[in-house]
RNA sequence: GGGCGGGUAGCUCAGCUGGCCAGAGCGCUCGCUUUACACGCGAGGGGUCGCGGGUUCGAGUCCCGCCCCGCCCA
């Protein structure tokens, strides 16, 4: 309710409670209309403002945003808003990620759940030539449209002030152009190659998974001990056996060797002998390899306990066996189809009598193989065994190590891995990794934006970054999916073209010379027959794979397809396009093409990279360091190095800082997930508490640790999850609202003297103290923002607003504000400064308050100013508080602190006597205290609820208390003072004081302390002891009197 | 197995380079419709700082060992 009798300009009709829903949508529109979030790269290039840029990690379009996104968005928005107010030209580019396998699976599952034709059906259609691929992609596209709209609505609701005109989707035309160019260049440079490798194969989604997409699960399985008969050179069974131990009996069909450890005394003699695979009939050799574990029943290593000493080697179906096979040049026999059924159609020709297993699923085959071995006396035994098995993170079935053609990116090349390693700032490197660098590489320049500039916050994550690179393997970038960037490679053979070949060769050579295509032959760059077109001009006729640079180069594609070359059906790993995010969002490789591909975007692509790359900071979750952070560094440095003629890999960094934020868990320390039903939906919190409350709470939780817990409670009324944590944010916003209501009503009643300039030294103690606190607070906050300590930022604001401004400053000025223009000026400016300092965390409520406060003319106080910005239409665009060091007033802080401490002591005494808050009491103080606090009598009277302060002797009924070791009294506490309560209180005080004295005496009686501790500290302890003793004496004397 | 983080009040967390009686918010207890705010105000109770050693005049803070919890990598 408005208190003033007449409605006023600023404070009218402000409700007692801040209701976010009344303001948030309206304020969002105001920002948009004010074009507050729109960045202008020209201002940076013209030198009008320094750049500050963040690229939003694009959320997956698989689902709506969760609390982790809300946290990340909040952090970025805080940084962007703060820097905008500080005078930076700020750019925050939003977007979304197509998230290949995840989205395809989500859509497939939904179709299945709805009983509609799903992926499997569209695959059949495609095989039947009915264009199933395009139909399915259209469905995924519809899903994407739905969710990206939802995600954008959520982001806006939480106040994410991004430049939405520059929104990018990792599969839109601008991004596709970047992907195409990047792929082409890496292919041309020999850093993308086709390899036959074992991949983690998901037989359900029928796609290869990266190592990061495989989750280990503990499985209760068995060790099977299978006997293979030993044969002589003529192939005749000798009657002996070797017993191999395996958890995967069905793979015996693809065995191409048995291995033993040459240091195994019992079995080394078998090396060189031959065994025959039952049914299959294949004769394989017993080879020696140190990888084989020697059996030892007493060992603590379970492998040694279970080993038989003979290892069956199946290079096509086990990663360790693959490597072993490489070492010994063993045959690789794949016995499975892509759906993990046993098959003789994918590389297995010597089936022999094992045809009975063909067509069985891998687990059926396992049973059948075990049963057959058992029936024929070749199964020695079976033992239960718990072991870890990799599972697909999408379909959750065990992955199958599977031999297939895949495309690899040679990230182990120094131009990629090395440049990423050298990007790390020197302070954060460990000596180990520095040593691992090629000696030939030039010394670090330490130049900004180049080598040795990237800094992790918190710094410990630099270590994960480093060690990941140390153990890096080439990156499998192909995925057997439909939803994604199709691999721009056409494959085929030229052998059959006979007389026509020279004609085609000439066409291809022309296209190559124009930089429109590039070709490769062979597989792995490590292999001898590998050639890329840069070196292979005489051998165009042998090209097997050709990449076309632009998707619009229909001419080149036509030439290839005339040759019978066909485009690879696979798509690129989703991280390939995410890795290009810093480039694609800024229109790389070609600004004018980007503008034509996205006519809705501002036509300034050409200025973006020069103005804003390197970006200022990448803010992300830790699980993504390896998948994403590193790849952006590699790509940015590789391609911009080429563009800037510095050499591939020597280019700029994509960002200067990397901030890794904590992960939010539920109250029990579990990940929030749909499956567990413990997730909190940001929309629900915005509805119940408001966006600001959510943001404040999230910021306050963002400490430097890895995880933070948020107790989740289910609200049966709304059916949603929430957390009591958000009440803190809501209460805080409400506190600000009410402080503002009060301030505005004060300023309405008696406006300050506009145009007058105040000097801090002329202001009252409370005013000087408040300004000094603001100066300190602003410094703490700037420091917190600089070092990404959002929790301490929020905490500082909490203390500044609630503890300092509300609890003490507003209470202190109540009686005088009407008569003191200096106080009104301070009040006006202090609230404004608090609004500005707080705005990045809680933008809506601060803007809502500012809408009213801005009507009150801004006073001048020396040393208090605001940064200049390009506009001040809204608080959002206004300048950051700039408080001169001269505003800091330590004398005022000390003096005010003394008043606070006296008031607290009086309040304690009042509370002990249950004095009604409204009752005015009389304070009797000693002459000495009176002399030193007289200047602040009114302040003490106001804050402590006193009728007067006097040096008169107190009446008998007065309550006694000590302050600075002196004895003082309160009278008029009540009609009668409870002597019992008084005695109890004093006795407790005596107890506390005696305990302190004991501790202090103990410290001082320790000769080591007196001798070795700093003299200042010892003196301090002595003084304290003296004071405490005096206080004790006072209290004891007072107790006597009762 | 390697790496990282955590174990501080009933709960969620601060506590930087070792030094005032270890703090905050929530919850709890008591008192308050005090004319900005009950989403509030005042006061209070509550902690062997995971365990065991060590360094030091002094350790929640540094060192060593161990035990739990979580994450990442193999």
């Amino acid at each position: 309710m408005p208190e003033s009798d007449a409605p006023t300009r600023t404070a009218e009709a402000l409700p007692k409670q801040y209701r976010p829903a009344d303001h948030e949508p309206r304020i969002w529109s105001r920002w948009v209309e004010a074009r507050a979030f729109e960045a202008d790269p020209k201002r940076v290039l013209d030198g009008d403002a320094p750049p500050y840029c963040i690229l939003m990690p694009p959320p997956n379009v698989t689902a709506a945003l969760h609390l982790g996104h809300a946290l990340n968005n909040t952090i970025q928005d805080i940084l962007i808003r703060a820097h905008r107010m500080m005078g930076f030209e700020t750019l925050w580019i939003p977007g979304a990620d197509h998230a290949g396998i995840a989205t395809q699976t989500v859509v497939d599952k939904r179709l299945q759940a709805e009983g509609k034709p799903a992926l499997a059906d569209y695959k059949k259609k495609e095989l039947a030539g009915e264009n199933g691929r395009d139909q399915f992609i259209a469905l995924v596209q519809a899903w994407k449209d739905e969710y990206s709209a939802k995600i954008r609505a959520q982001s806006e609701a939480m106040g994410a002030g991004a430049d939405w005109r520059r929104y990018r989707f990792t599969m839109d035309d601008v991004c596709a152009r970047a992907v195409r160019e990047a792929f082409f260049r890496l292919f041309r440079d020999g850093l993308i190659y086709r390899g036959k490798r074992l991949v983690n194969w998901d037989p359900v989604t029928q796609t290869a998974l990266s190592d990061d997409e495989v989750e280990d699960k503990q499985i209760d399985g068995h060790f099977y001990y299978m006997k293979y008969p030993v044969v002589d050179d003529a192939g005749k069974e000798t009657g002996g056996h070797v017993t191999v131990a395996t958890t995967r009996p069905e793979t015996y069909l693809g065995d191409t060797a048995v291995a033993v450890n040459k240091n195994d005394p019992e079995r080394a003699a078998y090396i060189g002998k031959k065994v025959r695979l039952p049914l299959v009939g294949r004769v394989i050799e017993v080879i020696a390899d140190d990888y084989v574990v020697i059996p030892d029943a007493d060992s603590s290593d379970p492998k040694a306990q279970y080993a038989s000493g003979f290892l069956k080697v199946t290079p096509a179906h086990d990663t360790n066996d693959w490597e072993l096979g490489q070492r010994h040049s063993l045959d690789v026999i794949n016995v499975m189809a892509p759906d993990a059924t046993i098959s003789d159609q994918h590389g297995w020709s010597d089936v022999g009598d094992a045809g009975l297993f063909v067509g069985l699923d891998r687990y059926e085959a396992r049973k059948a193989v075990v049963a057959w071995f058992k029936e024929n006396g070749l199964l020695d035994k079976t033992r239960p065994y718990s072991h870890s098995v990799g599972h697909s993170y999408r379909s959750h079935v065990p992955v199958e190590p599977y031999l297939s053609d895949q495309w690899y990116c040679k990230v182990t090349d120094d131009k990629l891995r090395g440049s990423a390693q050298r990007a790390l700032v020197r302070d954060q490197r460990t000596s180990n990794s520095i040593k691992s660098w090629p000696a030939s590489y030039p010394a670090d320049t330490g130049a900004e934006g180049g080598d040795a500039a990237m800094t992790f916050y918190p710094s410990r994550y630099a270590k994960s970054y480093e060690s990941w690179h140390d153990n890096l393997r080439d990156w499998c970038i192909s995925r057997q999916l439909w939803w994604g960037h199709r691999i721009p490679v056409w494959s085929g053979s030229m052998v059959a073209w006979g007389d026509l070949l020279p004609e085609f060769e000439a066409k291809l050579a022309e296209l190559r010379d124009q930089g429109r295509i590039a070709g490769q032959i062979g597989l792995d760059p490590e292999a001898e027959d590998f050639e890329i077109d840069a070196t292979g001009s005489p051998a165009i006729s042998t090209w097997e794979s050709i990449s076309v640079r632009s998707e619009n180069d229909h001419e080149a594609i036509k030439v290839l397809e005339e040759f019978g070359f066909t485009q690879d059906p696979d798509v690129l790993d989703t991280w390939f396009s995410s890795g290009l995010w810093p480039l694609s969002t800024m229109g790389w490789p070609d600004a004018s093409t980007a503008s034509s591909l996205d006519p809705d975007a501002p036509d300034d692509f050409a200025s973006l990279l020069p103005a804003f790359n390197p970006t200022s900071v990448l803010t992300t979750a830790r699980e993504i360091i390896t998948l994403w952070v590193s790849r952006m560094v590699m790509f940015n440095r590789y391609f911009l190095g080429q563009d800037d003629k510095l050499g591939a890999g020597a280019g700029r960094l994509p960002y200067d800082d990397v901030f890794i934020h904590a992960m939010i868990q539920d109250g029990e320390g579990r990940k929030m997930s749909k499956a567990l039903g413990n997730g909190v939906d940001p929309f629900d919190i915005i509805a119940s508490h408001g966006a600001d409350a959510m943001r404040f709470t999230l910021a306050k939780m963002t400490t430097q640790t890895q995880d933070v817990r948020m107790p989740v409670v289910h609200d049966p009324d709304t059916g949603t999850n929430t957390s009591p944590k958000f009440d803190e944010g809501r209460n805080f916003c409400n506190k600000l609202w009410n402080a503002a209501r009060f301030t505005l009503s004060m300023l309405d009643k008696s406006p300050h003297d506009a145009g007058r300039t105040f000097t801090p030294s002329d202001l009252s103690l409370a005013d000087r103290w408040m300004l000094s606190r603001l100066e300190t607070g602003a410094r703490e906050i700037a420091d917190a923002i600089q070092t990404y300590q959002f929790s301490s930022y929020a905490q500082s604001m909490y203390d500044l607003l609630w503890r300092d401004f509300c609890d003490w400053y507003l209470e202190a000025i109540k009686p005088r504000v009407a008569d003191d223009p200096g106080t009104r000026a301070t009040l006006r400016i202090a609230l404004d400064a608090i609004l500005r300092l707080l705005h990045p965390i809680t933008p809506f409520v601060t803007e809502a308050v500012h809408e009213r406060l801005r009507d009150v003319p801004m006073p001048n106080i020396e040393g208090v100013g605001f940064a200049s910005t390009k506009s001040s239409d809204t608080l959002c665009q206004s300048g950051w508080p700039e408080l001169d060091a001269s505003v800091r007033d330590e004398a005022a802080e000390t003096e005010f602190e003394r008043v606070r401490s006296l008031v607290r002591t009086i309040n304690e005494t009042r509370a002990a006597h249950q004095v009604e808050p409204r009752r005015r009491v009389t304070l009797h103080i000693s002459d000495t205290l009176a002399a030193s606090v007289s200047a602040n009598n009114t302040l003490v009277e106001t804050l402590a609820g006193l009728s007067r302060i006097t040096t008169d002797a107190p009446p008998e009924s007065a309550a006694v208390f000590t302050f600075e070791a002196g004895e003082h009294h309160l009278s008029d506490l009540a009609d009668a003072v409870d002597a019992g309560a008084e005695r109890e209180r004093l006795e407790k005080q005596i107890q506390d004081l005696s305990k302190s004295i004991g501790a202090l005496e103990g410290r001082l009686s320790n000769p080591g302390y007196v001798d070795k501790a700093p003299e200042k500290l010892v003196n301090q302890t002595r003084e304290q002891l003296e004071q405490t003793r005096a206080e004790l004496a006072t209290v004891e004397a007072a107790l006597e009197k009762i």
Side-chain angles (χ1 to χ4, degrees):
Chain A
M1 297 296 112
E3 306 66 27
S4 53
D5 22 14
T8 54
R9 193 176 40 172
T10 48
E12 67 183 302
L14 289 184
K16 276 169 90 164
Q17 281 194 354
Y18 173 65
R19 289 198 299 264
D22 292 350
H23 303 278
E24 291 177 359
R26 178 176 58 79
I27 285 172
W28 178 263
S29 310
R30 279 196 59 210
W31 290 332
V32 173
E33 280 158 26
R35 309 178 67 165
F37 308 136
E38 300 185 5
D40 181 4
K42 259 196 66 144
R43 293 191 75 230
V44 174
L45 297 179
D46 293 349
D48 295 338
Y52 190 86
C53 178
I54 300 179
L55 305 173
M56 184 187 287
N60 292 351
V61 292
T62 43
L65 300 185
H66 54 64
L67 217 48
H69 295 114
L71 171 64
N72 202 4
N73 275 351
T74 298
I75 290 167
Q76 293 168 71
D77 199 43
I78 288 172
L79 292 169
I80 287 287
R81 286 177 187 270
H83 283 88
R84 180 183 299 116
M85 295 175 81
M86 290 171 185
F88 288 81
E89 185 65 25
T90 51
L91 170 61
W92 187 15
I93 302 186
D97 195 307
H98 68 280
I101 188 169
T103 312
Q104 176 164 321
T105 307
V106 162
V107 173
D108 183 32
K109 277 191 179 161
R110 189 203 235 183
L111 291 171
Q112 288 179 40
E114 290 174 352
K116 292 179 182 162
L119 181 59
D121 304 294
Y122 289 101
K123 279 189 172 168
K124 279 178 205 153
K125 275 190 163 184
E126 178 73 9
L127 284 174
E130 291 167 25
N131 215 10
R133 182 167 185 150
D134 289 345
Q135 289 173 27
F136 183 78
I137 286 175
L139 292 171
V140 185
Q141 191 74 37
W143 174 283
K144 173 251 151 182
D145 290 341
E146 182 187 339
Y147 276 90
S148 54
K150 197 167 183 173
I151 286 167
R152 176 160 175 184
Q154 282 181 307
S155 305
E156 293 185 353
M158 56 183 88
D163 193 345
W164 291 95
R165 303 169 305 160
R166 302 180 193 270
Y167 182 90
R168 289 262 71 83
F169 175 58
T170 54
M171 252 171 72
D172 67 22
D173 292 342
V174 175
C175 291
R177 177 79 196 89
V179 165
R180 201 59 181 255
E181 174 73 10
F183 185 97
F184 177 82
R185 286 199 199 174
L186 291 167
F187 182 93
R188 180 197 63 196
D189 300 345
L191 294 177
I192 282 178
Y193 62 92
R194 192 202 292 270
K196 252 197 194 316
R197 295 283 175 89
L198 278 191
V199 296
N200 304 301
W201 184 261
D202 178 343
V204 173
T205 59
Q206 302 222 355
T207 179
L209 303 173
S210 68
D211 290 345
D212 312 289
E213 292 166 333
V214 176
E215 293 167 348
D216 283 335
K217 283 188 198 168
Q218 206 64 22
I219 293 292
D220 290 324
H222 292 87
F223 248 111
Y224 301 91
Y225 295 79
M226 300 159 75
K227 301 204 293 197
Y228 295 168
V230 177
V231 297
D232 61 20
D233 287 342
K236 244 186 89 180
E237 293 192 8
T238 62
H241 292 89
V242 302
T243 303
V244 297
T246 179
T247 58
R248 304 207 50 201
E250 69 279 11
T251 63
Y252 99 96
L253 303 168
D255 282 3
T256 53
V258 167
V260 300
N261 193 315
K262 63 176 186 302
N263 301 315
D264 184 341
E266 285 180 46
R267 299 170 192 83
Y270 282 87
I271 294 167
K273 290 195 177 352
K274 294 199 164 84
V275 300
R276 173 178 288 135
L277 292 178
L279 284 176
V280 181
R282 186 183 310 137
V283 173
I284 58 179
E285 196 176 326
V286 179
I287 59 170
D289 198 287
D290 292 344
Y291 172 74
V292 181
V293 177
I294 301 171
D296 178 1
D298 302 326
S299 168
S300 59
D301 178 8
K303 277 194 178 145
Q305 291 170 25
Y306 284 85
S308 73
F310 293 103
L311 179 74
K312 64 189 277 302
V313 184
T314 325
H317 295 284
D318 183 283
T319 43
N320 291 316
D321 292 8
W322 167 265
E323 276 161 29
L324 206 150
Q326 295 290 101
R327 286 199 288 276
H328 297 272
S329 305
L330 297 178
D331 287 343
V332 179
I333 299 174
N334 173 34
V335 299
M336 283 187 201
D339 62 356
T341 57
I342 304 299
S343 165
D344 55 4
Q345 300 297 310
H346 295 83
W348 180 26
S349 50
D350 57 345
V351 179
D353 298 326
L356 69 155
F357 301 124
V358 171
L360 297 180
D361 170 78
R362 54 184 167 163
Y363 295 107
E364 294 167 5
R366 177 174 306 173
K367 283 185 203 153
V369 166
V370 170
W372 187 89
F373 270 72
K374 197 171 180 183
E375 273 166 36
N376 291 278
L378 292 173
L379 186 69
D380 188 48
K381 61 183 169 186
T382 307
R383 291 176 65 189
Y385 181 64
S386 172
H387 60 128
S388 118
V389 177
H391 285 63
S392 163
Y393 90 116
R394 294 312 319 168
S395 68
H396 306 293
V397 302
V399 298
E400 186 64 39
Y402 193 71
L403 192 67
S404 67
D405 279 339
Q406 299 293 337
W407 289 100
Y408 284 86
C409 179
K410 198 169 164 36
V411 285
T412 50
D413 189 279
D414 184 66
K415 289 192 283 296
L416 295 170
R417 168 166 59 183
S419 73
Q421 289 175 311
R422 289 183 291 268
L424 193 59
V425 77
R426 296 200 129 197
D427 301 352
Q428 297 193 337
R429 293 176 191 169
T430 64
S431 53
N432 227 4
S433 139
I434 291 171
K435 265 188 255 159
S436 73
W437 291 357
S440 60
Y441 197 83
D444 298 321
T445 59
E448 196 56 36
D451 284 0
M454 190 172 73
T455 311
F456 277 90
Y457 294 83
S459 60
R460 70 183 113 93
Y461 290 109
K463 200 167 177 181
S464 330
Y465 179 86
E466 273 195 324
S467 62
W468 185 71
H469 287 100
D470 289 343
N471 303 314
L472 196 58
R473 288 192 295 172
D474 282 354
W475 172 22
C476 178
I477 54 171
S478 47
R479 292 290 182 278
Q480 290 63 48
L481 293 173
W482 282 350
W483 179 243
H485 292 278
R486 187 125 174 221
I487 291 177
V489 173
W490 279 255
S491 303
S493 165
M494 302 202 189
V495 178
W497 289 92
D499 292 347
L500 291 173
L501 190 56
E503 190 190 321
F504 288 140
E505 237 188 319
K507 277 188 187 166
L508 292 177
E510 191 190 338
L511 290 170
R512 182 207 50 203
D513 293 342
Q514 291 167 349
R516 292 160 65 184
I517 62 167
Q520 289 185 357
I521 59 169
L523 289 172
D524 195 317
E526 308 294 333
E528 280 174 20
D529 62 350
F530 184 77
E531 267 186 78
I532 57 177
D533 67 332
T535 57
S537 54
I540 287 178
S541 58
T542 61
W543 282 2
E544 293 162 350
S545 312
I546 298 172
S547 181
V548 179
R549 191 169 202 158
S550 163
E551 61 268 57
N552 298 319
D553 195 345
H554 304 295
E555 189 194 343
I557 294 170
K558 198 175 157 210
V559 169
L560 294 180
E561 293 186 342
E562 277 172 8
F563 273 98
F565 274 58
T566 53
Q567 188 175 3
D568 198 295
D570 291 354
V571 300
L572 286 165
D573 179 11
T574 204
W575 297 105
F576 193 89
S577 53
S578 328
L580 291 164
W581 197 236
L583 297 170
S584 51
T585 49
M586 297 199 185
W588 185 88
D590 170 25
S592 59
T593 306
S595 289
S596 70
L597 292 172
D598 185 0
D600 294 340
D603 190 17
D604 56 11
F605 276 110
S607 307
L608 290 181
L609 275 175
F612 290 113
N613 182 295
T615 64
S616 308
V617 59
L618 174 75
T619 298
T620 191
R622 68 172 177 281
E623 66 219 29
I624 234 164
I625 295 177
T626 53
L627 290 169
W628 194 41
V629 178
S630 152
R631 285 161 187 173
M632 285 193 280
V633 177
M634 292 181 186
F635 282 172
N636 211 79
R637 303 203 68 192
Y638 189 86
F639 297 117
L640 293 188
Q642 289 182 328
D643 291 353
D644 297 343
K645 311 273 186 271
L646 297 166
R652 279 174 275 161
L653 296 178
Y655 22 74
D656 298 325
D657 291 350
V658 180
F659 174 67
I660 306 291
H661 67 246
M663 223 166 69
I664 301 178
Q665 303 171 333
D666 74 358
E668 272 103 70
R670 299 173 305 181
K671 252 186 175 173
M672 288 188 176
S673 75
K674 275 191 195 135
L676 287 168
N678 59 354
V680 175
D681 184 340
F683 256 3
D684 291 342
I685 303 304
I686 292 171
S688 61
H689 289 73
D692 289 328
M694 180 177 77
R695 295 168 59 115
F696 183 83
T697 297
L698 290 174
K700 190 120 181 296
M701 289 178 80
T702 303
T703 60
Q704 301 291 95
T705 51
Q706 288 191 160
D707 308 306
V708 286
R709 291 185 183 193
M710 171 174 281
V712 175
V713 292
H714 188 73
D715 180 348
D717 295 335
T718 58
T720 59
N721 285 342
T722 182
S723 172
K725 277 285 198 182
F726 293 111
D727 294 350
E728 187 181 354
R730 181 199 56 196
N731 296 353
F732 179 74
C733 293
N734 194 241
K735 190 71 180 176
L736 173 65
W737 182 251
N738 279 290
R741 277 205 317 141
F742 178 76
T743 301
L744 290 167
S745 73
M746 289 298 141
L747 295 173
D748 273 346
K749 281 178 189 157
S750 36
H752 66 81
D753 303 356
R756 186 170 151 192
T757 296
F758 296 88
T759 308
S761 56
D762 296 339
L763 298 169
S764 76
L765 173 63
D767 295 326
R768 280 179 284 136
W769 173 79
M770 189 65 236
L771 291 173
S772 189
R773 287 293 307 128
L774 271 172
E775 195 274 341
T776 311
R779 264 187 298 117
E780 285 170 6
I781 286 157
D783 185 58
I785 292 172
Q786 201 80 43
T787 52
Y788 307 100
Q789 311 215 26
F790 299 96
S791 175
S792 50
Y793 176 11
Q795 185 65 53
S796 292
M797 281 318 306
Y798 188 97
D799 292 341
L800 191 60
L801 171 70
W802 203 312
R803 302 276 86 101
D804 296 337
F805 187 73
C806 292
D807 286 357
W808 292 97
Y809 182 66
L810 289 184
E811 295 303 328
I813 65 169
K814 271 179 183 175
R816 60 178 303 159
V817 62
D819 310 316
D820 186 337
T823 290
R824 287 196 301 277
T826 308
L827 177 63
R828 163 71 178 84
I829 218 164
L831 179 62
D832 206 324
I834 287 172
L835 289 178
R836 291 167 196 248
L837 290 172
L838 185 55
H839 179 263
I841 303 181
T842 60
F844 292 105
V845 65
T846 48
E847 188 76 70
V849 169
H850 187 73
E851 284 176 341
R852 310 276 178 152
L853 185 64
R854 62 185 303 167
D855 292 341
V856 182
M858 181 70 91
N860 298 313
I861 296 180
E862 268 176 33
V864 185
F866 300 100
S868 68
T869 52
K870 65 178 172 182
S871 161
S872 56
D873 292 351
T874 60
L875 177 64
C876 167
Q877 295 158 291
S878 302
W880 193 251
E882 287 176 341
L883 290 106
D884 196 83
S886 64
V887 174
R888 194 183 333 155
D889 188 338
E890 271 158 41
E893 296 214 24
T894 310
E895 199 178 347
F896 197 81
E897 184 49 49
R898 190 149 172 260
V899 169
R900 285 213 288 189
S901 147
L902 176 59
V903 169
R904 282 203 190 97
T905 312
I906 295 170
N907 278 344
E908 277 167 35
T909 314
R910 290 179 62 124
H913 286 280
Q914 313 262 40
V915 180
E916 284 177 26
R918 264 195 303 185
R919 190 182 183 103
R920 299 264 155 193
V921 302
T922 306
L923 172 63
H924 303 262
I925 54 174
S926 66
D927 293 340
T928 39
L929 185 60
S932 63
V933 301
S934 62
N936 301 315
N937 271 2
T938 325
L939 204 48
V940 176
E941 282 170 10
T942 311
L943 295 168
L946 304 177
S947 55
R948 66 197 176 99
I949 300 177
T950 173
T951 52
D952 296 348
E956 279 291 301
S957 64
V960 65
F961 70 92
T962 57
F963 179 71
E964 295 176 349
E967 180 179 345
H968 316 282
H969 297 83
L970 288 178
S971 66
D972 305 324
L973 296 178
D975 301 330
V977 162
D978 181 349
E982 180 76 346
R983 182 174 295 119
E984 207 174 297
R985 187 173 67 89
L986 294 175
E987 275 167 355
K988 186 176 176 305
Q989 258 183 38
I990 289 171
Q991 225 173 37
D992 291 349
L993 290 168
S994 308
K995 206 174 134 194
S996 305
I997 289 168
L1000 292 167
E1001 282 175 343
R1003 205 178 302 166
L1004 286 169
S1005 65
N1006 179 346
Y1009 178 70
V1010 181
D1011 293 349
K1012 294 188 182 173
E1015 201 183 318
K1016 202 176 149 194
L1017 193 69
V1018 176
N1019 287 337
Q1020 204 181 310
T1021 312
R1022 287 203 175 109
E1023 270 169 41
Q1024 209 184 333
L1025 178 60
E1026 223 169 285
Q1027 272 233 333
T1028 315
R1029 275 178 176 154
E1031 207 177 331
L1032 178 66
T1034 312
V1035 178
E1036 277 173 343
L1039 185 62
E1040 284 293 304
K1041 280 190 218 158
I1042 296 178

